[in-house]
Amino acid sequence: MSIASALGICSLLGAAYLYTQDCNMILVDSSQLLTGVPINTGLYFDAHPVGILLAKFIDYLIIKGLKLTDLELIGISMGGQVIGIAGAAIKSGKPAKIMAYDPAGFNHNSYPPDQRLDETDAELVIVIHTDPKVWGYNQSCGHVDFWINSNLDVQPGCTTLEAIFRGATDITDYVACSHVYSYRVGVYAIYHPTAYPALNCTSYDDYANGLCNNNDLQYVGDQVTKSAQGNYYAKAGNEVYNP
Ligand SMILES: *[C@@H]1O[C@H](CO)[C@@H](O)[C@H](O)[C@H]1NC(C)=O
Ligand SMILES: *[C@@H]1O[C@H](CO)[C@@H](O)[C@H](O)[C@H]1NC(C)=O
């Protein structure tokens, strides 16, 4: 995804949080550091330099009075990996929450936990997976992993023709539509917190066949209850936020 698109998405997510919650938001523009460091495979960028710098900045904010219990790190795609590195590198402790929207896959799929997002990076790590087969991380990596429509290869509205009819104007909507679908689900869920009930289950098929109807229910989003843990499956459609 292009850095400009990523920044646009950050602004939209940021606006949704600011509109619905009493919080302060800091957007991180990592374009220079991310573009400057192609990783050993040559295929992707390295989350480490940005993550380490972000952790230093957070340690500085903590000296100035920020409480880790008030801190939530939010990231999409590569940003999801960056906040994993950052969460682990904060010297003063762990952030309360990490919310990752389809964290980047590719080389990260085979990285050990300390080189990617994992559940030790915050007190509560929540992940929304929408594109595990192409751009997104392909395994569970949080305390709570939401898997959206994981029976589908392509998310709703995400064929090229559908993107055209939807009037999508961003290149990202064409080359990584199922990937950015994660934040479109996320923004919709911020405005409609009970839009996506999700059930703790062992597979999407079992969930869809009703085998998990008595299991723990959580709503997709970052307002999960403390006891939530495991893989949760949910359905979403074309109602998702349309940029
Ligand atoms: C995830 O990707 C890695 C690397 O390509 C692969 O070895 C692994 O089998 C994949 N896991 C799943 C669950 O798809
Ligand atoms: C969800 O399912 C997993 C695996 O079956 C289980 O370990 C976990 O405790 C369940 N979570 C809740 C909150 O019931």
Side-chain angles (χ1 to χ4, degrees):
M1 123 179 3
S2 78
I3 299 300
S5 310
L7 276 179
I9 288 170
C10 282
S11 308
L12 293 170
L13 263 174
Y17 278 91
L18 288 175
Y19 189 77
T20 53
Q21 293 178 33
D22 180 16
C23 64
N24 297 300
M25 191 98 189
I26 297 173
L27 300 188
V28 178
D29 175 359
S30 57
S31 48
Q32 296 215 340
L33 270 175
L34 272 183
T35 47
V37 194
I39 204 165
N40 43 14
T41 61
L43 186 63
Y44 226 39
F45 304 123
D46 188 356
H48 275 82
V50 188
I52 299 298
L53 211 59
L54 180 55
K56 283 189 179 155
F57 178 57
I58 291 166
D59 277 321
Y60 168 78
L61 292 178
I62 286 165
I63 293 171
K64 295 290 177 188
L66 173 72
K67 292 191 187 69
L68 278 169
T69 47
D70 289 336
L71 178 64
E72 174 171 353
L73 302 180
I74 301 162
I76 172 166
S77 186
M78 198 57 188
Q81 299 296 349
V82 166
I83 55 178
I85 302 293
I90 296 171
K91 291 207 166 59
S92 6
K94 283 188 192 186
K97 210 183 276 185
I98 277 181
M99 181 76 210
Y101 295 90
D102 214 38
F106 277 98
N107 40 345
H108 295 92
N109 284 333
S110 43
Y111 280 1
D114 65 338
Q115 288 177 41
R116 57 162 174 84
L117 176 67
D118 78 295
E119 65 175 31
T120 65
D121 297 332
E123 297 298 341
L124 178 58
V125 177
I126 306 164
V127 186
I128 294 181
H129 300 269
T130 57
D131 192 23
K133 288 176 187 151
V134 185
W135 292 99
Y137 189 70
N138 70 359
Q139 297 140 71
S140 310
C141 54
H143 296 98
V144 174
D145 287 80
F146 289 112
W147 299 89
I148 315 292
N149 301 326
S150 55
N151 58 326
L152 302 177
D153 283 334
V154 175
Q155 293 291 1
C158 278
T159 65
T160 306
L161 212 54
E162 285 172 311
I164 293 169
F165 279 131
R166 184 154 64 78
T169 52
D170 195 305
I171 181 73
T172 325
D173 284 302
Y174 295 92
V175 300
C177 182
S178 296
H179 189 42
V180 297
Y181 188 78
S182 61
Y183 103 87
R184 295 175 58 213
V185 168
V187 169
Y188 192 83
I190 292 170
Y191 290 115
H192 308 89
T194 56
Y196 303 114
L199 289 169
N200 187 216
C201 201
T202 39
S203 73
Y204 190 91
D205 285 346
D206 284 357
Y207 153 76
N209 290 325
L211 301 182
C212 297
N213 288 351
N214 296 323
N215 290 3
D216 186 45
L217 184 152
Q218 299 289 333
Y219 291 99
V220 174
D222 70 349
Q223 303 300 314
V224 303
T225 50
K226 263 276 178 241
S227 60
Q229 178 145 39
N231 290 312
Y232 290 76
Y233 294 83
K235 294 171 185 157
N238 281 310
E239 73 293 334
V240 295
Y241 179 73
N242 201 350

Short mmCIF file of all heavy atoms in Angstrom, two decimals, residues 199-201 206-217:
data_model
loop_
_atom_site.label_atom_id
_atom_site.label_comp_id
_atom_site.label_asym_id
_atom_site.label_seq_id
_atom_site.Cartn_x
_atom_site.Cartn_y
_atom_site.Cartn_z
N LEU A 199 -17.98 -14.97 17.38
CA LEU A 199 -18.01 -16.10 18.32
C LEU A 199 -16.67 -16.80 18.39
O LEU A 199 -16.00 -17.01 17.37
CB LEU A 199 -19.08 -17.11 17.88
CG LEU A 199 -20.53 -16.67 18.05
CD1 LEU A 199 -21.47 -17.64 17.33
CD2 LEU A 199 -20.90 -16.57 19.54
N ASN A 200 -16.29 -17.13 19.62
CA ASN A 200 -15.08 -17.92 19.85
C ASN A 200 -15.30 -19.30 19.23
O ASN A 200 -16.26 -19.99 19.57
CB ASN A 200 -14.86 -18.04 21.38
CG ASN A 200 -13.55 -18.69 21.76
OD1 ASN A 200 -13.49 -19.41 22.73
ND2 ASN A 200 -12.51 -18.44 21.00
N CYS A 201 -14.41 -19.69 18.32
CA CYS A 201 -14.64 -20.94 17.61
C CYS A 201 -13.33 -21.47 17.06
O CYS A 201 -12.31 -20.79 17.07
CB CYS A 201 -15.65 -20.69 16.47
SG CYS A 201 -16.48 -22.18 15.88
N ASP A 206 -17.06 -24.15 11.30
CA ASP A 206 -17.80 -24.52 12.52
C ASP A 206 -18.68 -23.36 12.98
O ASP A 206 -19.82 -23.55 13.38
CB ASP A 206 -16.82 -24.92 13.63
CG ASP A 206 -16.25 -26.32 13.39
OD1 ASP A 206 -16.66 -26.96 12.40
OD2 ASP A 206 -15.40 -26.75 14.20
N TYR A 207 -18.11 -22.15 12.91
CA TYR A 207 -18.86 -20.95 13.29
C TYR A 207 -20.09 -20.80 12.39
O TYR A 207 -21.21 -20.64 12.86
CB TYR A 207 -17.94 -19.74 13.20
CG TYR A 207 -18.64 -18.43 12.94
CD1 TYR A 207 -19.34 -17.76 13.94
CD2 TYR A 207 -18.60 -17.84 11.66
CE1 TYR A 207 -19.98 -16.56 13.69
CE2 TYR A 207 -19.23 -16.64 11.41
CZ TYR A 207 -19.93 -16.02 12.42
OH TYR A 207 -20.57 -14.84 12.17
N ALA A 208 -19.86 -20.91 11.06
CA ALA A 208 -20.95 -20.70 10.11
C ALA A 208 -22.02 -21.78 10.24
O ALA A 208 -23.19 -21.54 9.97
CB ALA A 208 -20.40 -20.64 8.69
N ASN A 209 -21.60 -22.99 10.65
CA ASN A 209 -22.56 -24.08 10.80
C ASN A 209 -23.24 -24.08 12.17
O ASN A 209 -23.95 -25.04 12.51
CB ASN A 209 -21.86 -25.42 10.56
CG ASN A 209 -21.50 -25.59 9.09
OD1 ASN A 209 -22.23 -25.14 8.21
ND2 ASN A 209 -20.36 -26.22 8.83
N GLY A 210 -22.99 -23.05 12.95
CA GLY A 210 -23.69 -22.89 14.22
C GLY A 210 -23.15 -23.73 15.36
O GLY A 210 -23.79 -23.86 16.40
N LEU A 211 -21.96 -24.32 15.18
CA LEU A 211 -21.43 -25.20 16.22
C LEU A 211 -20.88 -24.42 17.42
O LEU A 211 -20.54 -25.00 18.44
CB LEU A 211 -20.32 -26.10 15.64
CG LEU A 211 -20.74 -27.00 14.48
CD1 LEU A 211 -19.57 -27.88 14.01
CD2 LEU A 211 -21.92 -27.89 14.89
N CYS A 212 -20.78 -23.10 17.27
CA CYS A 212 -20.15 -22.30 18.34
C CYS A 212 -21.11 -21.29 18.94
O CYS A 212 -20.69 -20.35 19.62
CB CYS A 212 -18.91 -21.60 17.80
SG CYS A 212 -17.66 -22.77 17.25
N ASN A 213 -22.41 -21.50 18.69
CA ASN A 213 -23.40 -20.52 19.13
C ASN A 213 -23.43 -20.31 20.64
O ASN A 213 -23.87 -19.26 21.11
CB ASN A 213 -24.80 -20.92 18.65
CG ASN A 213 -24.94 -20.73 17.14
OD1 ASN A 213 -24.05 -20.13 16.52
ND2 ASN A 213 -26.01 -21.24 16.57
N ASN A 214 -22.96 -21.30 21.41
CA ASN A 214 -22.98 -21.15 22.86
C ASN A 214 -21.64 -20.66 23.42
O ASN A 214 -21.47 -20.56 24.62
CB ASN A 214 -23.35 -22.48 23.53
CG ASN A 214 -24.78 -22.89 23.16
OD1 ASN A 214 -25.65 -22.03 23.04
ND2 ASN A 214 -24.99 -24.18 22.94
N ASN A 215 -20.71 -20.39 22.52
CA ASN A 215 -19.38 -19.95 22.97
C ASN A 215 -19.36 -18.46 23.28
O ASN A 215 -20.31 -17.74 23.00
CB ASN A 215 -18.33 -20.28 21.90
CG ASN A 215 -18.08 -21.77 21.78
OD1 ASN A 215 -18.73 -22.56 22.47
ND2 ASN A 215 -17.15 -22.15 20.93
N ASP A 216 -18.23 -18.02 23.82
CA ASP A 216 -18.07 -16.61 24.19
C ASP A 216 -18.31 -15.71 22.99
O ASP A 216 -17.78 -15.95 21.90
CB ASP A 216 -16.65 -16.39 24.74
CG ASP A 216 -16.48 -14.98 25.28
OD1 ASP A 216 -17.38 -14.51 25.99
OD2 ASP A 216 -15.45 -14.35 24.96
N LEU A 217 -19.11 -14.66 23.19
CA LEU A 217 -19.41 -13.70 22.13
C LEU A 217 -18.73 -12.38 22.44
O LEU A 217 -18.81 -11.87 23.57
CB LEU A 217 -20.93 -13.51 22.00
CG LEU A 217 -21.46 -12.60 20.89
CD1 LEU A 217 -22.85 -13.05 20.47
CD2 LEU A 217 -21.49 -11.13 21.28
#
